[in-house]
Amino acid sequence: MAPAWYDRIANWNVASLFARPPPPRTGRSIFLNQHLPNDYFDDKGRVKKEHVYITNQVVTSKYTIITFLPRNLLEQFRRVANVFFLVIDILQFNSKFSTVSPGLVILPLVIVLGITAGKDGYEDVKRHQGDRRVNHSETLVLEGGNWLNHNPAGSKSKTFVKGILPRKHAQKKAISEEDAPASVPPEKDLEDESNNEPQSPHPRHSFSTSSQHTAHSHPTDPHWKRTLWEDVRVGDFVKIRNDDSIPADILICATSEEENVAFVETKNLDGETNLKSRNAVQGLSHLRSARACADIKSGDFRIDCDAPDVNMYKLNAAVITPEATFPVDLQSTLLRGTILRNTKWVIGVVLFTGADTKITMNTGITPSKRGKVERQMQPQVIINLVILVIMAVVCAIADALIEQQKYPQNAYWLYDDNRSGDNPHINGIVTFANALITFQNIIPISLYLSMEFVRTAQAAFIYFDHQIYYEKTDQSTLARSWNLSDDLGQIEYVFSDKTGTLTQNAMIFRQCSVGGRVYKGDTPDQSIMADDLPLKALRDSSSDATTPFPVEEQVPSVLTTQNIKLSASVLAHFRDAALTADLGRSVEPDADTTFSRSLNGFFTVLALCHTVIASVDPLTHALEYKAQSPDEAALVQAAADVGFIFRGKDREILRMQTPFSDHIEEYELMNILEFTSSRKRMSVVVRKLDQSDRRLYLLTKGADNVIFEHLRPDENEELKATTEKHLDEFASAGLRTLCLAYKGIPEDTYQEWALRYHEATVALEGREERIERLCTELEHDLHLLGATAIEDKLQDGVPETIADLKRAGIKIWVLTGDKLETAIAIGYSTNLVARQSNLIIVRGGDRGPQVMDQMRDAVDQFFHEAGIIESLQAKGLEIRTPEKSNKRSSFRNSISGLSDLVGSNNGNRPGGFVLVIDGTALGHALSEPSSKELLLQLAIRCEAVICCRVSPLQKALVVKLVKDSLHTVTLAIGDGANDVSMIQAADVGVGIRGEEGLQAVNSSDYAIAQFRFLKRLLLVHGHWSYARNGTMIVNFFYKNIICIGVLWWFQIYCAWSTQYVFEFTYLLFWNVFWTLCPVIAIGVFDRFMDADILMAIPELYRYGREGSWYGLRLFSIYMLDGIYQSAVVYFFINYAYNVTSTRGDGWEGYIYEFSTAMVVASVMVANVFNGLNTHAWTGWVWFAVSIGIILVWVYTAIYSLISPSAIATPVYGNQVFLFRSPIFYFSMFLAFFLALAPRFLFKAIQIQYWPTDIDILKEVRRSHPDLDFRDHLLLGGRNKGTETLSTADSSPSSRAPSRSHSYPLQALGNGRPSMEAAGRSVTDMSLGGVQSTHRGFDFASEEGGVHIRRMQSNLSERRVRALGAEGDKSDPRRENGIRHRSLALFPSLRRSVRRKVQGPKQPKSPPEPPA
């Protein structure tokens, strides 16, 4: 274990030096029209810190003018290279080590630091501008009269942004208090939408410990004043108008609607576009004007709140008035980030501000992410630094030994070396420092700057790629983090949300089961389906923010309008001829009374058990439902479609029209027992308002397993069995299911229960537990009515995208809040789960060890030969070995006799394994190190994982488990605030920003509009970026090694004195003019494979997953290349010039004659070598490779003409001796060819005899540029020639057009058994047994109704091991019992390419597939 001091240093964060410590978060009491109690003050009369609330100012920027320079420099000097060059530059300020002007020496470091600081500063200025836009938004706050907010607030942060950011609008002139507007009469205040309130530049609030009025109070009547968001304080009364964003977390006092209901759009929080209703607190509904709020008598109350909580779905508070106490929860609050819709105004009280609001607490601090390539590069920089130190030590030792040996011999070059600062005994140390300066280019300082430039260009390529541009919303794919582009090419695990990410979050009511009869709905046609408008247009038409409120007389009421409009989140009406006929027969005298009551009860529950609001569209005058969730809207819409029309709510009166009469039935809403993730159901208690019938009813809907647990003990068993069978059919079709039930409640029972329920709702401690306990107490002995089935439509292209990502070798995990059955069904619909897959289901119970046993049993049964348990036990983890007894086996065989259906080959099916685990089991599995490791080992051996009923925190924990344990590159994609933690935990976070919210996008690294764009982002841009960056970096290291190598070899001939062999300006310009352009061209313009081929053949993505383009092996090869080539250049040219004279006049040559030949040859070798490593020779690449060579020749010619004057020019006259000397040309060009020959020959031989898949495909593209890779069988594209896989399979899926992918048999190494003969097996480990069933799964999963045939997945791990065992068991690539082998996608083409070398004529086209 590392010592504590080391942990502190390793975990130290620069931001901690500049960040304020967060204030303590405790429960709070907010006083309205009341003074603070005495215990809020300390002995000096000051408010205690725990009672001072933070301001509403939100600051996301990193720097201020004061902190920018020190903080940015500290961040940049975390790079080893920057620290090294700073030390070197400081050394050269000493005259003993100086080479040129110290200012010129430090200039490169200053440029690198300056450009990086400029980029960081530009990004932070954008953050400042975003903060300013938010903080300077305006809202209406109560002002004037006797109103005074006594709740104290802290001071705002000084960002110093006013002086550096341009002001778009001049600030309005301040006006005096005498110019304040007159008070608005209370009658007019209700409709006051005036925009003419003056804005004062002075602070509105000041706090005083006395009860006297302070300077900010006005003697005018109470009114609403425009105020900046950052000036809003806890305890302020605010007025929110229609389409305004909510500035803080606000308690609703009153609204413009008669029922005191407000509608909010929460897409910035949870990604859902449907409106949600919120209700005012009952005891504050009289606060409907500024005068009422400011009145000491009517506005005198206190709000007690819990401490700010990160849980988005939890808020406990209570309003305490002199008369009574009223409960407050999320249903009574408007959260910051939401938008008020379809409500003229809302008056509320601010509860939480700034960093205490839920959206800000959930956003968190965006982590600082570094790409895998950059992390790999750091050790290589350290390796070069070690090499540099070794070179310096060698030079120092050799120089010291030589000087000590030659000084006594009076060596002329050691004359006067007898001073204290210059003698043979200390000159070794001086030589060490000089060596660091001489060979400093081995550390490539310009590499970081080059990478920033290249990644910027790659981000621009992504932004301007039209194929990942979403025309419907006019949005391009945006790279928010430019330094992660190469990670896109190395993704091994994708973690995806479901709702809004894989699905549209738009519903269709498909089927229902009522009283044992199933109604599957009529085939939709154009008369039933929604208008042919895009989804966005439908939503806009239902909630058009710009539509003026018409006069009431022009719009019919909800009770009289005859038309029913589709809800924005519902795609189709529900029609069923059989259901209509049964409803008609149910009123006949001879009708089945029991079934008629079931029909009436079923649709009554659908029409009344909800929180939907009915309204009339002012444009179409049609009845429209506004629901908090698309599911609720679809259910109420379906009830209305068959005649049970919900006609809205008046106060607490629900109105419903039935198909049996025009009379509108009325019900009094007594209680709403809300849905929670633990209850998994929702209920309402209603009283029928009829002169002859005033009975109480409990109407319930919820998850099937929960409803079945709460049915009467004597419930009809046949009805239960039939309904359960229908539920299985619905779930198998990928539909979301609910069960409906009801019961009557005796009056005395309800009154006693209601009293206890009210006491629980106002409790501040244990409120949720008490409420849940009371709800469960009432929800028992239910009568089953039936079940519903709703389809959540998939987004366009989701099944194909997931299928192709699986082909690319990427493992996909879906993390969703849906129930287990629905999650599995979505897995089938999205191609995540193949029809031949084996499902391993782990479900949570009341005790953790049950989950452990389920995972252990799964490992023992299906992966026993992998030795997982033994390896974990060897690590010291406590995992009990399963007992070898027949008890468990007999238990399995007794589970409904299902083992006979599965057969003996369970686990050997060719489809592989898919792990399905629910949130409860996941919580147990993640709680202990042993269970966590066992879960990981089980999961990585499955081709996919589905986690259902998981919380946002569990999503992040799952991502971190894989990321930290396997050290793989992970990607998380989501669309809502509940996905933010997962997105931030992954190496690469992708936010969906189509029609959904922006919360996930704001925390993401890449923003896309549709899930299908992920395929091109990874397979094309990821492949290109990783290959380009990896190749650029190793070429960068190489080109510096060849330069340093020539300098190093010269040390042998200069007594290791660290003398430069090159004239210094050549060395100075090496990384600027001579060799920079080719590596930049590789990073920007190189293209290893065309985009259409990468999209058609996803298997090519494996090169990125396997790290083929960058790593220690490639680094070493390029370093050796540089060392070899530097030796050839130096020694060949040195010996060529080692003659009596290279001049025509017989004089001895000067050092800069042959060294200039060396530097020109080195530039030519380095640039052409970079060119050899470039795959796509475009015009820009030609220019980049040639420009450095041209520049060095031109510079040599011109520099040799400049005579010494103000500056020394040691190469003056070189053109006379160089350009006329045959040795110059002979030695330089021969060294050039000899240096490049090994690399050229290796590439030629490798391409001819051992071509990679990329080499083959490049050859095919070159010889057949018009070939369609997407549909060619032998090239790995889709096989359109095979319509069905097996005529024996008569399931609907097999009759659909095949979209499966075919490969040559050699691609898998062995033949593959027929997949059609294998049914799907389900292993439910919570039952300790195996189930097998085939539900004829088939559906239209895409927009447009395209039928998807699920792709055949890869072999199971078990079968791969079996196949691998037949081969070489000593294969070194075998690890943990699994053999990792590269695909041979094109064996026949390999043979054809190889035959070209042997002489046969090249075929005109690739081999055609056999007939």
Side-chain angles (χ1 to χ4, degrees):
M1 181 177 293
W5 62 266
Y6 177 82
D7 291 336
R8 286 196 297 270
I9 294 176
N11 298 326
W12 179 75
N13 189 359
V14 175
S16 61
L17 292 177
F18 304 92
R20 288 183 180 180
R25 288 191 169 106
T26 59
R28 62 182 61 184
S29 293
I30 303 170
F31 299 90
L32 285 304
N33 288 304
Q34 296 179 8
H35 295 293
L36 300 180
N38 293 331
D39 59 358
Y40 270 46
F41 301 92
D42 58 18
D43 296 337
K44 297 182 179 180
R46 294 175 300 190
V47 180
K48 297 178 181 177
K49 288 185 178 181
E50 60 266 25
H51 301 305
V52 177
Y53 307 125
I54 63 176
T55 69
N56 202 37
Q57 184 185 45
V58 174
V59 178
T60 62
S61 55
K62 293 170 61 177
Y63 310 112
T64 67
I65 292 179
I66 295 175
T67 64
F68 174 72
L69 190 61
R71 181 171 180 176
N72 188 265
L73 288 177
L74 280 173
E75 289 177 347
Q76 292 201 58
F77 279 108
R78 287 187 297 176
R79 289 175 170 170
V80 175
N82 288 344
V83 175
F84 167 76
F85 279 104
L86 178 64
V87 173
I88 294 299
D89 292 340
I90 292 174
L91 273 178
Q92 294 184 75
F93 273 85
N94 188 316
S95 58
K96 183 178 290 292
F97 308 109
S98 179
T99 53
V100 292
S101 169
L104 186 62
V105 167
I106 203 170
L107 185 61
L109 180 62
V110 171
I111 292 175
V112 170
L113 295 177
I115 292 178
T116 305
K119 178 185 75 71
D120 294 340
Y122 173 78
E123 292 176 352
D124 204 59
V125 165
K126 291 298 182 182
R127 285 190 285 265
H128 273 289
Q129 292 174 341
D131 291 343
R132 185 176 178 83
R133 279 192 297 270
V134 172
N135 292 326
H136 283 233
S137 301
E138 294 180 341
T139 190
L140 297 177
V141 177
L142 180 64
E143 190 67 88
N146 294 323
W147 161 248
L148 183 65
N149 184 1
H150 293 279
N151 300 282
S155 59
K156 295 187 294 185
S157 299
K158 301 291 185 181
T159 62
F160 303 98
V161 74
K162 291 183 178 180
I164 60 173
L165 294 182
R167 297 287 300 276
K168 291 186 177 180
H169 305 286
Q171 188 173 1
K172 295 181 180 180
K173 294 182 179 180
I175 60 175
S176 63
E177 292 183 4
E178 289 77 7
D179 297 328
S183 61
V184 181
E187 296 80 16
K188 187 178 180 181
D189 187 78
L190 285 176
E191 301 298 328
D192 178 29
E193 298 295 331
S194 173
N195 297 331
N196 300 321
E197 290 95 336
Q199 179 179 351
S200 172
H202 305 294
R204 297 185 313 100
H205 302 281
S206 63
F207 179 74
S208 173
T209 59
S210 67
S211 60
Q212 298 176 353
H213 294 296
T214 49
H216 73 279
S217 60
H218 296 273
T220 59
D221 287 341
H223 60 277
W224 300 108
K225 179 181 178 181
R226 288 183 178 275
T227 304
L228 302 180
W229 277 22
E230 65 180 5
D231 292 328
V232 173
R233 288 177 47 187
V234 171
D236 275 341
F237 281 103
V238 294
K239 183 175 184 178
I240 312 298
R241 297 173 300 181
N242 188 52
D243 297 329
D244 281 353
S245 295
I246 310 302
D249 291 352
I250 294 171
L251 173 69
I252 304 174
C253 297
T255 78
S256 59
E257 307 302 308
E258 292 184 1
E259 302 175 9
N260 268 326
V261 175
F263 300 99
V264 291
E265 184 181 82
T266 62
K267 67 181 182 181
N268 288 337
L269 295 181
D270 53 21
E272 297 182 3
T273 56
N274 47 284
L275 300 183
K276 294 180 172 60
S277 65
R278 295 292 183 263
N279 303 96
V281 177
Q282 183 179 353
L284 305 179
S285 58
H286 62 282
L287 302 178
R288 303 178 63 84
S289 66
R291 186 181 299 275
C293 294
D295 185 68
I296 296 179
K297 294 182 179 180
S298 62
D300 178 15
F301 60 94
R302 184 179 87 242
I303 306 173
D304 290 341
C305 306
D306 281 350
D309 191 352
V310 71
N311 189 339
M312 301 271 309
Y313 308 102
K314 176 184 178 182
L315 189 147
N316 286 337
V319 173
I320 302 173
T321 66
E323 294 80 19
T325 300
F326 302 93
V328 174
D329 55 17
L330 277 179
Q331 189 61 27
S332 306
T333 57
L334 301 176
L335 298 183
R336 178 177 176 135
T338 59
I339 302 173
L340 187 67
R341 299 291 193 195
N342 295 352
T343 309
K344 289 185 179 181
W345 53 262
V346 166
I347 292 176
V349 177
V350 176
L351 297 180
F352 301 104
T353 53
D356 285 343
T357 58
K358 288 189 177 294
I359 185 173
T360 307
M361 294 179 71
N362 271 273
T363 300
I365 301 174
T366 302
S368 178
K369 297 182 179 180
R370 289 198 307 162
K372 182 178 179 181
V373 167
E374 186 173 349
R375 296 196 303 270
Q376 289 176 314
M377 190 176 72
Q378 192 82 345
Q380 294 169 7
V381 171
I382 295 175
I383 290 174
N384 276 13
L385 184 60
V386 171
I387 294 175
L388 173 62
V389 172
I390 293 174
M391 294 167 68
V393 169
V394 171
C395 288
I397 294 175
D399 178 68
L401 293 176
I402 291 174
E403 287 196 22
Q404 293 176 24
Q405 178 185 359
K406 297 297 182 182
Y407 183 77
Q409 301 175 9
N410 296 322
Y412 68 92
W413 45 275
L414 294 177
Y415 174 75
D416 203 27
D417 281 5
N418 56 1
R419 292 168 292 177
S420 60
D422 184 7
N423 62 74
H425 297 285
I426 68 167
N427 279 352
I429 300 176
V430 177
T431 301
F432 176 84
N434 280 325
L436 294 179
I437 297 172
T438 300
F439 306 124
Q440 63 180 299
N441 274 1
I442 197 174
I443 308 296
I445 186 173
S446 57
L447 174 57
Y448 294 105
L449 195 59
S450 303
M451 289 178 62
E452 296 286 353
F453 175 81
V454 166
R455 285 167 170 169
T456 302
Q458 291 167 355
F461 293 155
I462 291 174
Y463 181 81
F464 290 110
D465 188 346
H466 189 72
Q467 296 193 43
I468 48 178
Y469 161 78
Y470 196 43
E471 186 175 3
K472 186 177 180 180
T473 55
D474 189 29
Q475 291 175 337
S476 301
T477 297
L478 180 65
R480 295 172 53 85
S481 298
W482 295 354
N483 63 327
L484 299 177
S485 57
D486 38 66
D487 272 2
L488 293 174
Q490 305 175 79
I491 301 298
E492 294 189 56
Y493 286 85
V494 168
F495 301 88
S496 175
D497 178 40
K498 184 191 75 68
T499 304
T501 302
L502 302 179
T503 62
Q504 302 178 37
N505 206 22
M507 308 295 175
I508 299 179
F509 190 96
R510 286 295 189 194
Q511 304 179 42
C512 61
S513 171
V514 185
R517 298 184 189 179
V518 64
Y519 300 100
K520 298 188 176 182
D522 298 332
T523 303
D525 54 32
Q526 294 299 323
S527 64
I528 297 176
M529 294 297 290
D531 297 336
D532 292 332
L533 293 173
L535 185 57
K536 184 176 185 298
L538 288 174
R539 289 173 176 167
D540 290 345
S541 68
S542 64
S543 58
D544 191 352
T546 62
T547 303
F549 293 98
V551 181
E552 286 191 9
E553 288 74 16
Q554 297 178 349
V555 181
S557 70
V558 294
L559 300 178
T560 59
T561 184
Q562 298 301 313
N563 300 324
I564 301 176
K565 178 183 177 181
L566 272 178
S567 181
S569 55
V570 181
L571 298 181
H573 291 286
F574 179 71
R575 299 285 190 270
D576 189 286
L579 176 59
T580 303
D582 286 346
L583 285 172
R585 286 192 295 268
S586 65
V587 297
E588 296 177 358
D590 58 345
D592 184 347
T593 306
T594 302
F595 182 71
S596 298
R597 283 202 303 266
S598 296
L599 272 178
N600 183 70
F602 181 89
F603 289 103
T604 298
V605 173
L606 285 186
L608 297 180
C609 184
H610 54 73
T611 57
V612 172
I613 300 298
S615 63
V616 177
D617 190 318
L619 298 179
T620 62
H621 292 184
L623 184 65
E624 181 183 15
Y625 296 121
K626 298 171 182 176
Q628 298 193 45
S629 70
D631 303 70
E632 275 203 334
L635 295 174
V636 178
Q637 186 83 52
D641 290 339
V642 299
F644 289 79
I645 304 173
F646 175 61
R647 288 290 183 176
K649 183 174 73 167
D650 182 10
R651 302 290 180 178
E652 302 303 325
I653 306 302
L654 305 176
R655 295 189 174 96
M656 179 185 68
Q657 181 180 352
T658 68
F660 309 122
S661 68
D662 294 332
H663 172 69
I664 295 179
E665 298 180 359
E666 293 186 345
Y667 295 83
E668 182 182 1
L669 179 62
M670 309 300 291
N671 301 95
I672 298 178
L673 312 184
E674 295 182 352
F675 175 89
T676 65
S677 58
S678 59
R679 283 169 33 79
K680 301 179 184 178
R681 61 192 181 276
M682 172 197 175
S683 302
V684 294
V685 180
V686 297
R687 183 193 300 275
K688 190 170 184 179
L689 299 181
D690 190 277
Q691 293 181 354
S692 59
D693 187 2
R694 296 183 62 83
R695 285 179 294 176
L696 288 164
Y697 294 97
L698 175 74
L699 311 180
T700 304
K701 64 182 180 184
D704 49 5
N705 59 325
V706 176
I707 297 298
F708 272 68
E709 290 174 0
H710 291 76
L711 294 178
R712 292 166 55 97
D714 58 348
E715 185 67 14
N716 188 328
E717 292 296 332
E718 182 180 357
L719 175 61
K720 289 170 60 177
T722 304
T723 304
E724 192 166 11
K725 176 184 177 184
H726 293 161
L727 283 167
D728 288 342
E729 294 174 355
F730 297 159
S732 297
L735 304 178
R736 305 173 69 156
T737 60
L738 282 177
C739 278
L740 277 61
Y742 83 102
K743 81 168 188 176
I745 308 176
E747 183 72 29
D748 55 348
T749 301
Y750 171 75
Q751 294 300 335
E752 188 271 336
W753 176 89
L755 180 61
R756 292 186 290 125
Y757 182 77
H758 175 73
E759 293 174 353
T761 58
V762 296
L764 287 181
E765 295 183 1
R767 178 186 295 183
E768 289 84 2
E769 294 78 8
R770 294 176 61 180
I771 289 177
E772 183 171 343
R773 186 166 56 250
L774 286 169
C775 291
T776 303
E777 179 182 319
L778 192 64
E779 296 166 328
H780 69 280
D781 292 342
L782 302 176
H783 295 281
L784 180 64
L785 292 171
T788 62
I790 300 174
E791 179 184 356
D792 190 356
K793 295 288 288 183
L794 294 178
Q795 288 191 14
D796 264 341
V798 167
E800 289 98 334
T801 300
I802 289 182
D804 286 337
L805 291 180
K806 289 173 65 177
R807 287 180 59 190
I810 299 173
K811 289 193 173 183
I812 302 174
W813 293 23
V814 173
L815 313 176
T816 177
D818 283 328
K819 67 178 184 177
L820 186 141
E821 295 81 4
T822 303
I824 293 175
I826 292 297
Y828 281 103
S829 66
T830 57
N831 275 340
L832 183 66
V833 183
R835 191 159 51 89
Q836 299 79 22
S837 296
N838 308 280
L839 297 184
I840 301 176
I841 300 176
V842 179
R843 293 191 289 191
D846 297 331
R847 295 180 295 113
Q850 292 181 349
V851 175
M852 187 72 166
D853 291 341
Q854 292 176 51
M855 294 190 297
R856 185 202 59 201
D857 291 346
V859 168
D860 181 57
Q861 182 177 354
F862 302 112
F863 307 105
H864 179 70
E865 64 275 19
I868 297 175
I869 295 179
E870 291 78 7
S871 63
L872 296 182
Q873 290 175 338
K875 294 180 181 179
L877 298 175
E878 183 180 352
I879 298 178
R880 291 184 294 108
T881 305
E883 298 178 2
K884 303 295 182 180
S885 67
N886 296 325
K887 182 177 180 180
R888 189 176 65 208
S889 178
S890 61
F891 175 61
R892 287 174 175 165
N893 294 331
S894 66
I895 302 296
S896 305
L898 295 176
S899 297
D900 296 334
L901 298 176
V902 175
S904 59
N905 62 340
N906 181 56
N908 292 318
R909 308 235 185 249
F913 294 94
V914 175
L915 174 64
V916 183
I917 183 170
D918 66 13
T920 305
L922 191 61
H924 290 310
L926 296 176
S927 62
E928 297 291 339
S930 56
S931 57
K932 182 189 299 186
E933 186 66 23
L934 183 60
L935 170 65
L936 179 65
Q937 294 300 323
L938 175 61
I940 63 176
R941 283 165 172 78
C942 298
E943 63 179 18
V945 175
I946 299 175
C947 302
C948 52
R949 295 298 193 198
V950 292
S951 66
L953 178 60
Q954 285 179 323
K955 291 183 178 182
L957 292 177
V958 170
V959 174
K960 290 179 180 178
L961 173 65
V962 175
K963 173 184 170 183
D964 298 339
S965 300
L966 302 181
H967 304 291
T968 59
V969 183
T970 59
L971 180 146
I973 179 170
D975 71 320
N978 57 336
D979 302 315
V980 168
S981 55
M982 173 179 70
I983 287 173
Q984 292 181 341
D987 292 290
V988 179
V990 178
I992 302 285
R993 67 167 191 163
E995 298 163 7
E996 316 300 340
L998 297 176
Q999 188 66 19
V1001 168
N1002 292 338
S1003 303
S1004 67
D1005 305 304
Y1006 291 88
I1008 61 178
Q1010 292 278 287
F1011 181 84
R1012 67 178 184 271
F1013 293 162
L1014 185 64
K1015 175 183 174 183
R1016 184 172 178 87
L1017 185 65
L1018 298 185
L1019 302 189
V1020 177
H1021 291 285
H1023 181 103
W1024 283 350
S1025 297
Y1026 172 53
R1028 288 167 174 171
N1029 293 354
T1031 307
M1032 180 193 75
I1033 293 171
V1034 292
N1035 277 277
F1036 216 109
F1037 280 117
Y1038 151 80
K1039 74 181 184 64
N1040 280 15
I1041 282 295
I1042 188 175
C1043 170
I1044 297 303
V1046 174
L1047 298 181
W1048 171 255
W1049 301 126
F1050 179 66
Q1051 302 309 308
I1052 302 174
Y1053 300 92
C1054 70
W1056 305 95
S1057 61
T1058 69
Q1059 174 70 36
Y1060 293 109
V1061 66
F1062 299 153
E1063 198 276 328
F1064 186 74
T1065 58
Y1066 285 101
L1067 193 61
L1068 194 65
F1069 295 148
W1070 180 267
N1071 281 324
V1072 180
F1073 299 116
W1074 309 152
T1075 60
L1076 182 63
C1077 289
V1079 289
I1080 294 293
I1082 292 175
V1084 176
F1085 301 111
D1086 199 7
R1087 188 172 64 254
F1088 289 71
M1089 185 57 62
D1090 292 340
D1092 62 316
I1093 301 178
L1094 293 174
M1095 292 288 283
I1097 309 176
E1099 290 82 0
L1100 296 175
Y1101 189 78
R1102 72 176 178 86
Y1103 287 97
R1105 289 189 298 101
E1106 296 173 358
S1108 303
W1109 305 116
Y1110 188 69
L1112 185 60
R1113 175 179 168 274
L1114 270 181
F1115 171 78
S1116 303
I1117 291 174
Y1118 276 76
M1119 293 284 283
L1120 293 175
D1121 251 325
I1123 294 172
Y1124 162 77
Q1125 292 174 14
S1126 67
V1128 169
V1129 168
Y1130 178 82
F1131 288 107
F1132 191 86
I1133 294 179
N1134 181 52
Y1135 287 124
Y1137 273 83
N1138 190 20
V1139 293
T1140 304
S1141 177
T1142 57
R1143 302 181 181 179
D1145 57 6
W1147 287 90
E1148 185 179 1
Y1150 185 43
I1151 182 176
Y1152 289 138
E1153 289 181 37
F1154 70 85
S1155 70
T1156 301
M1158 290 179 184
V1159 73
V1160 173
S1162 298
V1163 171
M1164 293 172 60
V1165 169
N1167 286 4
V1168 175
F1169 182 85
N1170 292 157
L1172 285 176
N1173 297 320
T1174 304
H1175 296 74
W1177 278 76
T1178 63
W1180 287 108
V1181 174
W1182 278 104
F1183 171 80
V1185 171
S1186 59
I1187 187 63
I1189 299 174
I1190 294 173
L1191 286 177
V1192 75
W1193 278 88
V1194 171
Y1195 177 80
T1196 299
I1198 295 176
Y1199 190 35
S1200 300
L1201 295 174
I1202 300 175
S1203 60
S1205 55
I1207 60 173
T1209 54
V1211 295
Y1212 174 66
N1214 237 4
Q1215 81 282 357
V1216 176
F1217 307 113
L1218 288 180
F1219 299 146
R1220 299 177 183 178
S1221 171
I1223 293 180
F1224 170 73
Y1225 298 102
F1226 171 79
S1227 61
M1228 184 175 56
F1229 285 105
L1230 192 55
F1232 169 79
F1233 288 113
L1234 287 176
L1236 293 177
R1239 168 65 61 161
F1240 179 80
L1241 292 175
F1242 171 78
K1243 290 178 71 70
I1245 294 172
Q1246 181 260 323
I1247 291 176
Q1248 295 298 323
Y1249 292 98
W1250 301 283
T1252 65
D1253 297 328
I1254 289 181
D1255 295 330
I1256 294 172
L1257 292 171
K1258 286 172 62 179
E1259 176 65 21
V1260 173
R1261 171 51 57 91
R1262 185 192 64 79
S1263 55
H1264 306 279
D1266 299 328
L1267 189 65
D1268 185 2
F1269 285 79
R1270 179 182 178 87
D1271 298 320
H1272 199 286
L1273 172 61
L1274 292 185
L1275 295 181
R1278 290 172 171 79
N1279 177 18
K1280 288 189 175 181
T1282 306
E1283 291 299 322
T1284 59
L1285 293 175
S1286 174
T1287 57
D1289 189 355
S1290 58
S1291 66
S1293 295
S1294 66
R1295 293 193 297 270
S1298 174
R1299 297 296 297 272
S1300 63
H1301 304 284
S1302 299
Y1303 315 95
L1305 288 180
Q1306 294 89 333
L1308 294 173
N1310 282 286
R1312 183 173 188 153
S1314 172
M1315 296 192 180
E1316 287 66 43
R1320 179 173 64 88
S1321 64
V1322 180
T1323 304
D1324 192 336
M1325 302 313 298
S1326 66
L1327 297 178
V1330 182
Q1331 304 176 35
S1332 178
T1333 179
H1334 189 280
R1335 293 174 175 172
F1337 187 76
D1338 185 50
F1339 49 87
S1341 59
E1342 279 193 79
E1343 295 174 7
V1346 179
H1347 288 273
I1348 299 299
R1349 170 73 179 226
R1350 286 172 303 283
M1351 187 194 77
Q1352 298 176 0
S1353 63
N1354 296 329
L1355 289 173
S1356 67
E1357 295 287 353
R1358 185 176 182 130
R1359 179 154 182 79
V1360 169
R1361 288 193 296 272
L1363 293 174
E1366 299 172 7
D1368 184 8
K1369 295 185 178 180
S1370 61
D1371 193 329
R1373 290 176 294 181
R1374 293 179 62 89
E1375 180 182 353
N1376 295 330
I1378 301 175
R1379 181 180 178 184
H1380 305 280
R1381 34 183 181 173
S1382 299
L1383 295 177
L1385 297 179
F1386 316 107
S1388 59
L1389 292 180
R1390 290 177 186 274
R1391 290 192 293 271
S1392 66
V1393 172
R1394 205 172 290 125
R1395 282 196 297 268
K1396 288 170 56 182
V1397 185
Q1398 301 172 358
K1401 183 181 292 186
Q1402 178 183 352
K1404 295 183 179 181
S1405 62
E1408 296 296 331

